[in-house]
Amino acid sequence: MTKFKKLTSALVVMTVLGACLPVSAAVQPNMAKVEERKARKTQIVGERVGKVLVSAFDLYNEEKLDEAIALLLNAKSSNEFDTATLNRFLGNLYATKDEKQAIKYLTLAVKPDVLTFADQSASMKLLADMLLQDKQYQAAIKAYEDWMMFTGEQNSDAYMRIANAYYLMDQHAKVLAPADDAIRFAPKPIEGPYQLKMAALYETKRYKELVAVVETMVQLFPENKQFWVYLGNFYTLTEEFGKSLSTLQLAYSQGYLEKDSEIRMLAQMYANNNIPYKAATIMEKYMKSGLVKKDKTNLTFIASNYQAAREFLKAANYYGEVAKLTNDADAYRRQGSAYSAVQKYNEAIAAYDKALSMNVDKPSGVYMSLVDAYFYQKKYKEAYAALMNAKKDPAMSRQVRGWESYIKDKAKQNGITL
């Protein structure tokens, strides 16, 4: 655990330092032009337009949004700066109620590029946000890139929104580069771009890269329970079942596995790693607590894993639970087999008889199991009767021949007439 903490700390430091390194990002602003924009002379709106803006702002503060919009719509000016400013205010007000109108007026506001640097920047960013909200994804991507070109800012949030737009357009391969830029330029590690990378890599079936990303996610954000579950699950996609189990065990020990599906995943990983006793007991524990549903699938899982662990009585009990719940003839057959394994022959016979009474598939196999159970109780007559029933199936002829003379000899030795 100490090594794990050191690795986590190192990765956090490297991620933060990465934002300071010279990199080639998707957007390459011309910083000389950015400085020119910042230095250009600030304009002031004319008196008439200024009064309209003050009145509109007062109406807005009084929560009279429609009246404020109507006042701005009626205002006209031949001055390009005044008109852009009016459109900017309209765009801001419409952003609270009508995306399409907001997009219309913000587009008009930024097009002439005459607003102050701060106002132009804010309007371009809001326009990009409105386009994304209106599901105009391709236009939103360009708007975010234009905003970063204008401001010269390598903005992590903008790159993340670009990555999200690509994901929402199902252009999953294009998600990765802006997501990487979002990671690179974040002042500290944030989850969003990693989650986008994870989703895109999963959709493109790039599973080894997917696992590497989620390994980083649990190291950077160890408190996020879901990331541990993702990693345990994704290791199965690369057939690294040992790593999947180790990850899920660690998550379980920290109390991160809280859902039915997560407990079942852990139990399945124990089974896949040939640890059937743990598979059965973990499922049993949470079935008794009520978290895991008591149904045929889960009961059979417990029974079969107890059987694989050679806990035959426990297996028999759970096969009995399955049989009672479902009236499944095969569950009775399996119960009989488990009882036979620990020489509980009377219980085994009862289970086999129940399976036969319910028209179990391949009854000849059940009859052969009855032969075993009766024979080892020295009930040769009953064993022979079961053998004759098995003999009706031609597929059993070889097994029947082997048993028939043997049972006859044993019966004769014991003075029993068949």
Side-chain angles (χ1 to χ4, degrees):
M1 186 58 74
T2 302
K3 288 182 179 178
F4 175 78
K5 287 179 179 177
K6 286 181 179 177
L7 176 60
T8 301
S9 300
L11 280 166
V12 172
V13 170
M14 289 303 294
T15 303
V16 174
L17 289 178
C20 304
L21 299 174
V23 292
S24 177
V27 176
Q28 295 293 320
N30 184 325
M31 295 310 295
K33 289 189 176 180
V34 171
E35 292 305 317
E36 285 179 16
R37 295 187 195 104
K38 289 181 178 179
R40 68 188 176 190
K41 186 178 179 181
T42 301
Q43 297 187 59
I44 301 174
V45 294
E47 183 179 357
R48 185 170 60 83
V49 170
K51 288 180 179 179
V52 171
L53 294 174
V54 170
S55 297
F57 189 71
D58 288 341
L59 288 168
Y60 172 76
N61 283 335
E62 295 170 11
E63 298 185 359
K64 297 178 179 179
L65 182 62
D66 290 339
E67 289 88 338
I69 289 173
L71 184 64
L72 292 171
L73 287 172
N74 287 327
K76 305 295 179 186
S77 174
S78 59
N79 180 279
E80 189 175 45
F81 177 78
D82 287 4
T83 300
T85 303
L86 287 167
N87 287 330
R88 173 178 173 261
F89 268 76
L90 278 166
N92 286 335
L93 294 179
Y94 272 123
T96 64
K97 60 175 292 184
D98 189 327
E99 294 156 7
K100 293 192 182 303
Q101 288 297 312
I103 290 167
K104 173 184 172 181
Y105 285 103
L106 288 168
T107 301
L108 291 171
V110 302
K111 186 176 181 180
D113 189 13
V114 293
L115 295 170
T116 65
F117 182 86
D119 287 348
Q120 182 78 3
S121 170
S123 297
M124 292 177 75
K125 176 64 163 58
L126 181 57
L127 173 59
D129 291 343
M130 289 293 101
L131 287 165
L132 184 63
Q133 192 171 312
D134 198 44
K135 301 181 181 180
Q136 298 185 46
Y137 300 127
Q138 198 65 55
I141 289 168
K142 185 178 184 307
Y144 284 120
E145 290 174 343
D146 288 346
W147 174 70
M148 286 189 283
M149 288 290 288
F150 179 84
T151 62
E153 180 181 352
Q154 295 286 10
N155 185 274
S156 174
D157 182 67
Y159 279 120
M160 188 167 72
R161 290 168 185 255
I162 289 170
N164 189 44
Y166 279 125
Y167 186 81
L168 292 169
M169 289 191 292
D170 294 328
Q171 296 182 27
H172 301 120
K174 292 183 178 181
V175 170
L176 302 176
D180 281 335
D181 285 334
I183 291 167
R184 186 178 296 122
F185 295 112
K188 64 179 182 178
I190 54 174
E191 295 181 4
Y194 284 101
Q195 291 176 304
L196 283 167
K197 281 192 74 174
M198 178 185 72
L201 288 167
Y202 180 81
E203 293 292 345
T204 53
K205 295 182 170 58
R206 292 159 66 173
Y207 296 137
K208 287 191 178 297
E209 294 170 76
L210 168 64
V211 165
V213 167
V214 185
E215 284 175 337
T216 302
M217 289 166 69
V218 299
Q219 291 160 354
L220 292 176
F221 316 106
E223 73 287 348
N224 190 313
K225 301 175 183 181
Q226 195 61 47
F227 293 168
W228 292 87
V229 177
Y230 288 152
L231 182 58
N233 194 21
F234 292 152
Y235 274 132
T236 66
L237 299 176
T238 53
E239 299 184 357
E240 297 176 274
F241 299 114
K243 286 186 177 181
S244 177
L245 177 57
S246 297
T247 302
L248 292 171
Q249 282 177 315
L250 187 53
Y252 177 72
S253 69
Q254 295 176 91
Y256 289 172
L257 305 187
E258 299 174 332
K259 299 178 183 176
D260 163 70
S261 59
E262 294 164 358
I263 294 297
R264 286 189 287 109
M265 188 191 308
L266 174 60
Q268 187 62 58
M269 281 303 104
Y270 277 123
N272 289 352
N273 283 276
N274 297 314
I275 312 174
Y277 186 79
K278 288 291 290 182
T281 55
I282 199 80
M283 187 77 90
E284 181 182 50
K285 176 181 177 180
Y286 287 94
M287 182 178 289
K288 287 180 178 178
S289 77
L291 179 62
V292 170
K293 188 177 180 182
K294 187 177 181 179
D295 60 15
K296 178 182 178 180
T297 299
N298 294 334
L299 286 167
T300 302
F301 178 90
I302 295 172
S304 60
N305 277 282
Y306 269 136
Q307 187 157 12
R310 305 189 66 79
E311 293 282 345
F312 296 112
L313 279 179
K314 290 181 178 180
N317 288 335
Y318 274 100
Y319 282 129
E321 290 282 327
V322 176
K324 291 175 185 175
L325 185 69
T326 63
N327 276 330
D328 180 32
D330 193 60
Y332 282 112
R333 179 192 66 77
R334 292 185 177 195
Q335 185 185 40
S337 178
Y339 277 132
S340 289
V342 287
Q343 300 178 9
K344 293 275 187 178
Y345 295 122
N346 287 333
E347 292 87 344
I349 290 166
Y352 290 139
D353 284 341
K354 188 71 174 177
L356 289 167
S357 73
M358 300 176 71
N359 298 317
V360 67
D361 289 340
K362 296 184 179 179
S364 58
V366 179
Y367 280 119
M368 288 305 301
S369 295
L370 275 171
V371 171
D372 275 346
Y374 281 125
F375 183 85
Y376 290 114
Q377 286 187 311
K378 298 183 179 180
K379 295 180 178 180
Y380 302 121
K381 185 174 287 189
E382 290 87 346
Y384 189 76
L387 188 69
M388 292 302 98
N389 279 312
K391 192 175 184 178
K392 295 173 185 177
D393 182 356
M396 290 290 177
S397 58
R398 180 178 294 180
Q399 292 183 59
V400 169
R401 281 197 304 271
W403 270 103
E404 190 167 2
S405 59
Y406 190 54
I407 292 173
K408 284 179 178 179
D409 288 344
K410 284 291 184 181
K412 186 176 181 181
Q413 290 171 16
N414 287 274
I416 297 172
T417 302
L418 299 178

